[in-house]
Amino acid sequence: MALKRGLSSSGANKNRSGGGGSSLPILLVIFFCVLSPLIFFVGRGLNITSSPADQNNENDNAVGSGKQQLDWRERLALQHVKPLFSKEVIDVITSSTADLGPLSLDSFRKNKLSASWKVIGGETLVDNKAASETNQTATVVKQEASKGKEDNSQSDDTPAKLARRQLREKRREKRVAELLQQDDEATARLENAAIERSKLVDGAVLGKYSIWRKEMDSENSDSTVRLMRDQMIMARVYLSIAKMKNKHDLLLELQTQLKGSQRALGESSADSDLHPSAPGKLKAMGQVLSKAREQLYDCKLVTGKLRAMLQTADEQVRSLKKQSTFLSQLAAKTVPNGIHCLSMRLTIDYYLLPLEKRKFPRSENLENPNLFHYALFSDNVLAASVVVNSTIMNAKDSSKHVFHLVTDKLNFGAMNMWFLLNPPGKATIHVENVDEFKWLNSSYCPVLRQLESAAMKEYYFKANHPTSLSSGSSNLKYRNPKYLSMLNHLRFYLPQVYPKLDKILFLDDDIVVQKDLTKLWSVDLNGKVNGAVETCGESFHRFDKYLNFSNPHIARHFDPSACGWAYGMNVFDLKVWKKKDITGIYHKWQNMNEDRVLWKLGTLPPGLITFYHLTYPLQKSWHVLGLGYNPSIDRSEIENAAVVHYNGNMKPWLELAMTKYRPYWTKYINLV
């Protein structure tokens, strides 16, 4: 049987009945549909309760739907409306509606049918939304019914039912706790957001520090100094606004208090350094700012003034950084007056000596390959003396050590005179003038040839000439005069300078020797030319830091992640040097870099190229670097090192040297 619509179905019945005939069951259905709500609410108003038997049946069918609970309430309601209907009428209504099948009132109520429905084969199909609404209604009715019967049925519940009830109560309490916790978390998030927003508010605008500022957590936070600085900032803001709005009286008060606060604050960085008048100035400034706030405060104006002040301060900081870079590099490249005057006095004394007194003893040791030979190229008399003195003082047998010093023409007399006056014990010393090396000329040396070119002169002396300190800071490092000096490039010509030596130890003039170095001559370099301490870490001081790997010549021949090493204390095997023609390799790459496209100026990049795959790594304790730029070197690492190196701008003979590293150098100065 298939019924499409209620109206069409009733029409069909009408046709089958011969047209216009009425049926008693249909009338009863209509009558019941009109009065059933009244009957139901009358029953609810009479507070109908179920019998114990009915309660037991309901408990046993606890999983039943809400529609079944409604059925027994309606039946009870029908039983209690005897004053309205007789028993015969109720029986007729019940039997008539039961015969209607899908059209019965129970079917409508159970299936919760909407205005659009159909029944196919006696089974009702409803959409998902109607079903969900039915389940929700049933759940609500079930909960209400269970609450109404809970007190009456507790005495008859079994232990299993009590356990289930307790479990439901626990789940309900747990859910309530979860909801409360979510509310607490939401409240905490709102509070934290408010705190973060309050941190963005300038405390000076509010007249005091925000309570959320971390500085307030410390008792010794120097809050007075900071508050005075904030007051001065706000005073400058209100000064400009007062001037703009012609508030001359307030302008004068602000200027007076600002000068007083500046005098009280001075150069203080802590509350303990403040002048005794600071608290009074702080209070007076606060009163004036409060007055200015009442008369002048405008959020848009104040914000704009603060932003302008911030931008101006930022530009000033950048300019000062450039000037600081320029001045620090300039200071690192110049010779202090004391050392310059020392060199001049020594030069005069040297040329006043008779020729026979200008010679050093033990000159026969200069070419003895069985002794320990050092190469030191420097134009700094005091620095060279520290290198020689520290080496001799830590040597077990100073008579086996030979020092080969090379300097320029300007410092040649001073270098000789110093060591004539301060002989290095039993060690042998020899001083030479680089300008007397006739073989070192522009036809042989690419660096000298490049320095004579017009392009190099343009680069060093004319192009981009700085008009101010800040503009001169760019590329100043690569315009260092030492890069123009052959003393710096002489390290690539060791076999030519010392043709009869087999092995030599090269030392920079900014190092200090702290242990005996004789064991370095017994180190097996495994066929390598250069013995040096590697300087690369995980990602720094590797080849790509020094060389231009965008150039195909560099990219094709070298590994960008190859480890760099340090100049400053290097053992060179001069026999292998000659076999490998190291000087020829250096000339080849130096000629290719005439336009400075492979690397910038300096000696470390060409050294990395020249000794690529020809460097033997020494233990790091032999050579510790960074005393000229790194303030965080471990003290034990410095004291255990054989050689410490002041590489960087902060040389130990300069005023800008780091104080904590200076004693390692000054203790080897010979003041006699």
Side-chain angles (χ1 to χ4, degrees):
M1 176 180 67
L3 298 179
K4 297 183 178 179
R5 292 281 185 180
L7 293 176
S8 61
S9 176
S10 63
N13 292 334
K14 180 179 178 180
N15 293 334
R16 282 195 300 269
S17 63
S22 60
S23 175
L24 178 60
I26 293 177
L27 292 175
L28 291 175
V29 168
I30 296 173
F31 183 77
F32 183 76
C33 290
V34 173
L35 294 180
S36 59
L38 178 61
I39 298 170
F40 174 74
F41 288 112
V42 170
R44 292 293 297 272
L46 295 174
N47 194 17
I48 300 171
T49 57
S50 61
S51 62
D54 292 333
Q55 292 178 2
N56 292 335
N57 292 334
E58 183 186 10
N59 291 334
D60 294 336
N61 298 285
V63 296
S65 65
K67 297 185 291 295
Q68 293 173 338
Q69 296 178 9
L70 290 174
D71 292 342
W72 70 262
R73 287 179 179 271
E74 292 168 1
R75 288 197 299 271
L76 289 175
L78 291 174
Q79 293 175 5
H80 286 77
V81 293
K82 291 179 181 180
L84 296 177
F85 300 100
S86 64
K87 183 177 184 302
E88 290 78 5
V89 174
I90 293 175
D91 292 339
V92 171
I93 292 173
T94 303
S95 61
S96 298
T97 55
D99 294 337
L100 292 178
L103 295 178
S104 65
L105 185 61
D106 289 342
S107 177
F108 274 92
R109 189 178 294 109
K110 290 178 180 179
N111 295 301
K112 201 72 178 183
L113 292 179
S114 62
S116 178
W117 59 272
K118 66 178 180 177
V119 180
I120 299 177
E123 296 180 357
T124 304
L125 301 178
V126 296
D127 56 5
N128 293 332
K129 181 177 180 181
S132 62
E133 292 176 353
T134 303
N135 293 334
Q136 292 175 358
T137 304
T139 304
V140 172
V141 174
K142 180 180 178 181
Q143 291 177 354
E144 291 178 353
S146 61
K147 289 179 180 178
K149 303 189 300 291
E150 186 174 6
D151 296 336
N152 296 331
S153 60
Q154 284 183 353
S155 59
D156 298 332
D157 285 345
T158 62
K161 295 178 182 178
L162 291 174
R164 287 195 297 271
R165 184 179 297 109
Q166 293 175 357
L167 183 61
R168 286 194 298 270
E169 291 295 332
K170 289 181 179 179
R171 286 199 296 266
R172 188 180 299 109
E173 292 175 358
K174 182 179 179 181
R175 178 58 179 166
V176 171
E178 291 177 353
L179 293 175
L180 291 176
Q181 183 179 0
Q182 291 177 2
D183 292 341
D184 293 341
E185 292 176 353
T187 303
R189 286 195 296 270
L190 291 174
E191 291 177 353
N192 291 333
I195 292 172
E196 293 299 326
R197 286 194 298 271
S198 69
K199 291 180 181 178
L200 302 177
V201 180
D202 194 340
V205 177
L206 301 177
K208 61 180 181 179
Y209 276 91
S210 170
I211 61 173
W212 306 112
R213 294 282 289 268
K214 290 185 177 180
E215 291 86 348
M216 299 301 293
D217 297 339
S218 174
E219 295 180 357
N220 300 320
S221 58
D222 299 322
S223 58
T224 304
V225 171
R226 284 193 299 275
L227 185 54
M228 290 187 70
R229 290 174 180 170
D230 287 351
Q231 285 183 338
M232 292 166 63
I233 292 173
M234 289 307 302
R236 294 188 182 97
V237 172
Y238 286 130
L239 271 172
S240 60
I241 298 176
K243 187 181 296 183
M244 182 175 59
K245 294 188 176 183
N246 296 322
K247 299 285 186 178
H248 300 292
D249 294 339
L250 185 59
L251 178 65
L252 183 60
E253 289 186 48
L254 287 169
Q255 289 176 341
T256 303
Q257 293 300 329
L258 182 60
K259 292 179 181 178
S261 296
Q262 289 174 339
R263 287 193 295 268
L265 182 61
E267 300 294 330
S268 302
S269 58
D271 288 355
S272 58
D273 300 332
L274 287 172
H275 191 270
S277 63
K281 300 294 183 182
L282 182 68
K283 184 177 180 180
M285 176 64 84
Q287 293 174 352
V288 175
L289 289 178
S290 179
K291 181 179 178 181
R293 178 183 175 85
E294 294 175 357
Q295 299 183 21
L296 304 175
Y297 183 75
D298 180 270
C299 183
K300 186 176 181 180
L301 278 177
V302 171
T303 304
K305 294 295 182 182
L306 288 172
R307 185 181 295 111
M309 292 173 62
L310 179 62
Q311 292 175 350
T312 303
D314 187 51
E315 292 176 359
Q316 291 177 351
V317 167
R318 283 199 297 267
S319 177
L320 290 173
K321 282 184 177 180
K322 289 183 179 180
Q323 294 180 15
S324 175
T325 302
F326 179 87
L327 293 174
S328 63
Q329 292 180 356
L330 185 63
K333 310 322 176 204
T334 56
V335 178
N337 287 334
I339 297 178
H340 177 72
C341 294
L342 174 65
S343 180
M344 295 298 295
R345 288 181 54 193
L346 291 172
T347 299
I348 294 172
D349 292 342
Y350 176 75
Y351 286 107
L352 292 176
L353 285 176
L355 292 178
E356 62 273 10
K357 293 185 177 181
R358 298 181 186 178
K359 295 181 180 180
F360 291 100
R362 296 180 289 277
S363 59
E364 66 277 3
N365 294 333
L366 296 178
E367 297 179 352
N368 186 352
N370 297 321
L371 300 179
F372 307 119
H373 294 266
Y374 301 87
L376 176 61
F377 310 142
S378 175
D379 57 358
N380 189 325
V381 175
L382 196 61
S385 69
V386 170
V387 175
V388 174
N389 200 29
S390 63
T391 304
I392 295 303
M393 291 180 65
N394 291 285
K396 294 180 179 179
D397 186 358
S398 61
S399 62
K400 294 183 179 181
H401 296 265
V402 181
F403 292 90
H404 302 269
L405 275 71
V406 180
T407 187
D408 55 12
K409 183 187 297 184
L410 181 63
N411 294 281
F412 177 73
M415 197 75 73
N416 278 279
M417 193 64 195
W418 175 271
F419 288 105
L420 287 172
L421 295 175
N422 304 280
K426 297 180 180 180
T428 302
I429 195 163
H430 182 225
V431 180
E432 295 180 272
N433 182 4
V434 67
D435 296 318
E436 294 180 358
F437 294 162
K438 301 304 180 183
W439 53 269
L440 196 63
N441 49 56
S442 58
S443 61
Y444 175 67
C445 178
V447 172
L448 286 175
R449 183 169 63 254
Q450 292 169 8
L451 291 177
E452 294 176 358
S453 66
M456 189 68 73
K457 291 179 181 179
E458 177 74 15
Y459 176 76
Y460 271 99
F461 304 111
K462 296 181 181 180
N464 299 322
H465 187 73
T467 57
S468 65
L469 291 178
S470 59
S471 62
S473 61
S474 60
N475 291 330
L476 180 64
K477 176 180 179 181
Y478 303 111
R479 288 176 168 81
N480 190 336
K482 75 177 184 179
Y483 296 142
L484 302 176
S485 173
M486 278 310 301
L487 288 177
N488 199 42
H489 294 268
L490 197 61
R491 64 191 70 190
F492 293 102
Y493 300 95
L494 289 174
Q496 287 80 0
V497 180
Y498 311 110
K500 295 185 178 181
L501 299 180
D502 297 332
K503 186 175 285 190
I504 197 167
L505 181 62
F506 172 80
L507 298 176
D508 264 343
D509 63 355
D510 55 352
I511 64 102
V512 174
V513 179
Q514 300 185 130
K515 293 184 179 180
D516 186 17
L517 301 180
T518 56
K519 292 183 179 180
L520 284 172
W521 275 266
S522 61
V523 173
D524 185 5
L525 300 181
N526 294 329
K528 308 292 185 181
V529 182
N530 174 28
V533 171
E534 293 182 338
T535 58
C536 63
E538 294 181 358
S539 60
F540 55 94
H541 287 179
R542 297 185 182 272
F543 271 45
D544 58 355
K545 178 178 176 63
Y546 305 99
L547 305 177
N548 179 21
F549 276 87
S550 63
N551 187 282
H553 296 290
I554 297 294
R556 184 166 54 249
H557 291 90
F558 304 101
D559 179 9
S561 62
C563 189
W565 43 268
Y567 260 134
M569 190 213 69
N570 307 81
V571 181
F572 290 111
D573 190 328
L574 300 183
K575 286 185 177 180
V576 183
W577 183 307
K578 296 174 185 177
K579 291 180 182 179
K580 300 288 185 181
D581 190 19
I582 297 301
T583 304
I585 297 173
Y586 164 72
H587 283 174
K588 169 190 171 183
W589 287 103
Q590 193 68 51
N591 286 324
M592 294 174 63
N593 194 45
E594 184 173 359
D595 297 329
R596 301 176 303 280
V597 295
L598 304 183
W599 68 84
K600 298 295 184 181
L601 296 178
T603 55
L604 181 56
L608 297 176
I609 289 177
T610 302
F611 296 101
Y612 186 60
H613 290 323
L614 295 174
T615 299
Y616 177 81
L618 300 176
Q619 292 182 1
K620 293 186 180 298
S621 59
W622 279 111
H623 188 186
V624 171
L625 298 98
L627 276 72
Y629 69 91
N630 185 4
S632 59
I633 305 175
D634 187 77
R635 182 184 180 91
S636 61
E637 186 178 358
I638 296 175
E639 294 178 350
N640 293 329
V643 171
V644 292
H645 195 168
Y646 291 84
N647 58 314
N649 288 334
M650 301 179 184
K651 303 299 183 185
W653 55 83
L654 299 175
E655 291 294 332
L656 49 82
M658 282 182 274
T659 306
K660 67 177 184 177
Y661 296 150
R662 192 192 294 269
Y664 298 108
W665 186 82
T666 55
K667 69 179 181 179
Y668 292 109
I669 296 177
N670 190 350
L671 300 177
V672 179

